[in-house]
Amino acid sequence: MDRRPIYLSLHAAGTPEHPRWVISDGWLRYWSGTGWSATQREAALYSDANEACAEMQRLLMLEYGNKPHRRFVAPVIVDLHSDTPVGLRDLQLWLSRSCRLLVNPPQKRHGPVEGSLGLVNIHWAELDEMSRT
């Protein structure tokens, strides 16, 4: 018997001053941190969207983690224009807090073929300045 694939969404649940995030599935249930609940009031609150996205990936891996795995790398280029010097750590921190990589699966699929899962991450800690040529 085939299982229906799990689809997860991230929702803003706080205020602009205190942003929070919750995770829901395709049946409008909310992740509590230990299970699924029908009420948002019982949802686990994440103060960082990256942390919530990591939890979403962990939950998806419960469904897909036993499948064969391949890894690909694609460059992300960051051009910084500033009169003021900016340290690499400051840039990494700003990028990790301000950037979101959104994968919007066409036709509600998680990967390029049926039954596959494609997870996309940016590892800002590996950011390095390119030499000028």
Side-chain angles (χ1 to χ4, degrees):
M1 177 179 191
D2 288 335
R3 292 177 58 181
R4 293 190 304 177
I6 183 173
Y7 294 106
L8 302 178
S9 298
L10 186 64
H11 303 276
T15 65
E17 298 83 24
H18 302 287
R20 298 292 182 266
W21 307 93
V22 297
I23 298 169
S24 72
D25 68 7
W27 298 275
L28 293 177
R29 298 178 304 170
Y30 296 90
W31 180 245
S32 71
T34 58
W36 295 99
S37 171
T39 63
Q40 185 173 347
R41 183 178 55 210
E42 296 177 18
L45 289 175
Y46 298 88
S47 60
D48 182 89
N50 291 328
E51 179 187 351
C53 287
E55 179 67 357
M56 289 172 66
Q57 287 189 354
R58 187 190 72 76
L59 291 169
L60 288 169
M61 285 301 293
L62 295 174
E63 297 284 319
Y64 293 89
N66 61 340
K67 296 179 184 274
H69 170 248
R70 295 165 58 195
R71 178 166 277 184
F72 301 86
V73 177
V76 173
I77 296 177
V78 178
D79 291 313
L80 178 65
H81 302 265
S82 175
D83 289 328
T84 305
V86 177
L88 184 60
R89 181 68 188 130
D90 289 336
L91 180 58
Q92 291 169 328
L93 187 58
W94 175 76
L95 288 166
S96 71
R97 288 181 175 167
S98 63
C99 292
R100 299 288 175 262
L101 179 60
L102 174 66
V103 176
N104 190 6
Q107 302 165 357
K108 295 207 174 263
R109 292 192 336 202
H110 286 306
V113 297
E114 189 67 36
S116 67
L117 172 65
L119 299 177
V120 183
N121 293 290
I122 299 176
H123 297 269
W124 294 120
E126 296 178 23
L127 182 72
D128 196 13
E129 188 169 359
M130 298 172 62
S131 61
R132 294 181 183 222
T133 56

